[in-house]
Amino acid sequence: MNLAIIGTGYVGLTTGTCFAEVGHKVICVDNNEAKVQSLREGKMPIYEPDLEEMIVSNVSAGRLEFTTDLAAAVRECEIVFIAVPTPPHEDGSVDLSYIEGVSREIAESLTPDMGYRILVDKSTVPVSTGSKVHQVIDRYAPAGVDIDVVSNPEFLREGSAVYDLLNPDRIVIGADSQRAMDMMKRVYQPFNAPIVEVDLASAELIKHAANSFLALKISYINAVSAVCEKAGADVELVAMGIGMDKRISRHFLNAGLGYGGSCFPKDVKGFINVAEQLGAPMEILKEVERVNEAQIERFLGRIRKKMWVLRKKRIAVWGIAFKQNTDDVRESVAVKLIKRLCEEGAHVTAYDPKAAETGAAALSGYDVTICDDMYECVRDAEVLVVATEWKQFAMANLVKVRELMRLPILFDGRNIIHGENALHAGFEYHSVGRRTLRPTKS
Ligand code: UDX
Ligand code: UDX
């Protein structure tokens, strides 16, 4: 099938590429000319495992192309996906101006002789956005165009986006017409995954409700981690024990510094806002946010207590990205932590395998040195903080790290270091929701 994707960000680019990979002919559209030009030259705007190879092979197979010409893509493609940003406003409500703008542009590109078109929303949007998009089409498209609006939310995680797209647990399609539903099912036929066929509004709600529930799971285990710290229990064992109950599951029960990224913070806010607007407030999600904020504060408090004064302390931070396997630093808890440490006068060095460049931009104006080697980063440091769950931090040579550091103090904000190994290397090992391990002589 001929598919157009508007917006070649994390979601649009990976989605378009995976559609091409399963055999569709895909045109990716973006209004950022420089981005389109560099994609045409084979340069990647983001880091995402396996994406580059897949783009290169699909472009050379003639199944994937990049353009800024939205109208031409709409002319050629029977299905047009929208994957432009939906950032939060100050008050938590969702900024739908990009969605509205693109919908209007699509409407103005439609002509009655084109035949049937489906407009699919992939971005996370508040419930009832689909019907507003339909209104825009009715207002701005010439009379006689034949179009349906569909919601098809995406559940990919950055860092494993290609895998998630090709191996989804389920595909949610929200359509109010059988014709649109049948065509959408053809798009997803090669994916071999269960399809959840629902109405437009329910599909929109599924996305907000799913992301908020995952955030709630993380805040739940983080709240439990605070109790564990007081009670001398181990949150990892608690997570294992409750996670083996299939009704709960172990996924998304990793205690740490809290959730970040471009989705959870914004989607929880967005869902709180839309529920309030509808007169059915979700107070429970306000607590989810509160726990998320408290988690980083508690951790900072523990570093402060250990070091007494942070001013002029040399603190090394491993991790800048909001999670592992990505260069994305949007709403990164690691970035927040580094900023807080700098504000308190600490000398911070930071390392991230992929987010050095994006991190430098996010931290501009802060007195932080970004290193290109994880061991160089810890040289003469008095504390090492692990802020992102990259695998290579878990595999680090801790004896070498200990030798390079001035003091043997390790704060693991993601519980990924093996505590006993840290202890054997001579570290005092602090983590989240677990007892601190101290070498016997200290
Ligand atoms: C997406 C969704 O839009 C968001 O709702 C969802 O919750 C997460 O994923 P993402 O792919 O991460 O966002 O956004 P981003 O990486 O910022 O990319 C958006 C792209 O759209 C950019 O390349 C931008 O240039 C492009 N864009 C934006 C357009 O082509 N037209 C516009 O009008 C606005
Ligand atoms: C999320 C959803 O998982 C995905 O389905 C949705 O479509 C987009 O939003 P993403 O934000 O890319 O994906 O990454 P995710 O793996 O969900 O991690 C989000 C944040 O939660 C990260 O900061 C991560 O460190 C944190 N996290 C995740 C935890 O703190 N504990 C966990 O157990 C899992």
Side-chain angles (χ1 to χ4, degrees):
M1 295 169 94
N2 291 319
L3 310 177
I5 318 276
I6 319 292
T8 52
Y10 284 87
V11 172
L13 183 59
T14 39
T15 306
T17 306
C18 289
F19 279 153
E21 180 72 12
V22 300
H24 296 303
K25 188 157 184 319
V26 179
I27 305 179
C28 283
V29 184
D30 205 286
N31 64 0
N32 181 334
E33 246 170 69
K35 196 177 211 179
V36 168
Q37 191 48 41
S38 63
L39 277 164
R40 282 179 170 161
E41 289 162 9
K43 287 189 215 123
M44 295 302 113
I46 53 166
Y47 169 73
E48 191 58 49
D50 304 325
L51 186 62
E52 183 165 1
E53 297 82 340
M54 212 174 260
I55 289 179
V56 170
S57 73
N58 281 289
V59 167
S60 63
R63 286 192 300 263
L64 181 61
E65 58 182 275
F66 301 99
T67 182
T68 52
D69 191 346
L70 184 144
V74 171
R75 259 195 312 279
E76 263 182 63
C77 301
E78 50 215 326
I79 306 186
V80 181
F81 291 82
I82 304 182
V84 293
T86 48
H89 284 301
E90 279 285 298
D91 66 353
S93 63
V94 185
D95 177 356
L96 293 166
S97 58
Y98 299 115
I99 299 271
E100 195 266 351
V102 163
S103 308
R104 186 170 168 161
E105 226 183 301
I106 293 171
E108 287 166 352
S109 313
L110 293 167
T111 54
D113 62 331
M114 262 179 199
Y116 181 56
R117 288 287 179 275
I118 303 180
L119 193 49
V120 188
D121 178 43
K122 268 244 164 263
S123 303
T124 307
V125 292
V127 60
S128 88
T129 300
S131 61
K132 299 243 173 54
V133 167
H134 216 301
Q135 237 173 44
V136 171
I137 304 290
D138 291 342
R139 271 187 202 149
Y140 296 102
V145 301
D146 188 8
I147 188 154
D148 273 314
V149 176
V150 164
S151 165
N152 171 217
E154 187 46 69
F155 297 96
L156 63 85
R157 291 163 299 174
E158 287 178 31
S160 55
V162 170
Y163 177 86
D164 289 352
L165 268 157
L166 295 175
N167 304 277
D169 286 349
R170 81 308 200 184
I171 287 153
V172 174
I173 304 176
D176 293 337
S177 103
Q178 195 54 45
R179 185 182 180 194
M181 183 63 80
D182 291 343
M183 244 167 103
M184 287 299 293
K185 279 161 72 181
R186 273 178 53 215
V187 173
Y188 282 104
Q189 207 178 356
F191 286 80
N192 194 26
I195 292 183
V196 182
E197 294 180 44
V198 295
D199 59 279
L200 191 57
S202 299
E204 291 171 333
L205 248 168
I206 285 171
K207 176 67 198 234
H208 258 158
N211 271 4
S212 298
F213 187 79
L214 292 169
L216 180 143
K217 262 191 107 168
I218 297 169
S219 276
Y220 181 77
I221 200 67
N222 281 336
V224 170
S225 80
V227 180
C228 287
E229 280 166 25
K230 297 277 185 213
D234 184 325
V235 74
E236 296 299 321
L237 301 179
V238 175
M240 179 179 74
I242 63 177
M244 282 171 81
D245 185 328
K246 287 196 186 71
R247 293 170 303 174
I248 298 174
S249 110
R250 176 65 183 79
H251 298 294
F252 280 67
L253 278 184
N254 295 323
L257 292 175
Y259 60 79
S262 68
C263 288
F264 287 169
K266 130 176 119 58
D267 293 349
V268 170
K269 270 195 181 56
F271 200 23
I272 290 173
N273 187 275
V274 76
E276 241 158 43
Q277 304 268 327
L278 292 168
M282 295 275 293
E283 293 297 318
I284 193 170
L285 292 181
K286 292 190 179 160
E287 186 59 14
V288 166
E289 288 187 314
R290 204 196 57 74
V291 171
N292 202 49
E293 281 153 26
Q295 202 65 5
I296 184 169
E297 292 307 324
R298 201 173 75 251
F299 193 73
L300 269 165
R302 289 171 56 205
I303 300 176
R304 220 180 273 123
K305 187 169 169 209
K306 177 73 207 168
M307 303 311 293
W308 188 20
V309 170
L310 292 183
R311 209 172 107 79
K312 294 198 174 161
K313 290 280 167 13
R314 298 182 72 92
I315 302 184
V317 179
W318 276 356
I320 307 175
F322 87 92
K323 60 176 285 192
Q324 82 283 26
N325 296 332
T326 181
D327 60 351
D328 195 352
V329 296
R330 289 178 288 181
E331 293 286 323
S332 166
V333 180
V335 168
K336 269 188 210 153
L337 184 96
I338 293 170
K339 286 184 175 172
R340 290 292 300 277
L341 293 171
C342 290
E343 280 158 5
E344 295 194 31
H347 295 303
V348 181
T349 51
Y351 168 78
D352 192 283
K354 293 287 174 198
E357 220 172 287
T358 47
L363 290 163
S364 81
Y366 286 83
D367 186 17
V368 46
T369 309
I370 297 180
C371 307
D372 52 18
D373 180 276
M374 64 191 268
Y375 294 101
E376 246 347 277
C377 177
V378 302
R379 189 180 289 281
D380 298 327
E382 290 153 275
V383 187
L384 167 60
V385 180
V386 179
T388 307
E389 57 275 58
W390 282 96
K391 250 197 198 98
Q392 71 188 82
F393 301 154
M395 316 284 280
N397 178 345
L398 291 176
V399 173
K400 181 172 168 185
V401 174
R402 163 70 193 95
E403 280 163 4
L404 286 163
M405 286 177 65
R406 178 139 185 222
L407 296 177
I409 302 171
L410 174 49
F411 273 85
D412 181 0
R414 294 292 175 184
N415 287 1
I416 55 162
I417 306 273
H418 195 283
E420 289 299 321
N421 289 352
L423 197 61
H424 285 139
F427 277 104
E428 183 174 296
Y429 176 71
H430 303 256
S431 55
V432 178
R434 294 187 298 182
R435 281 198 186 135
T436 298
L437 303 179
R438 293 186 170 83
T440 38
K441 63 179 168 47
S442 74

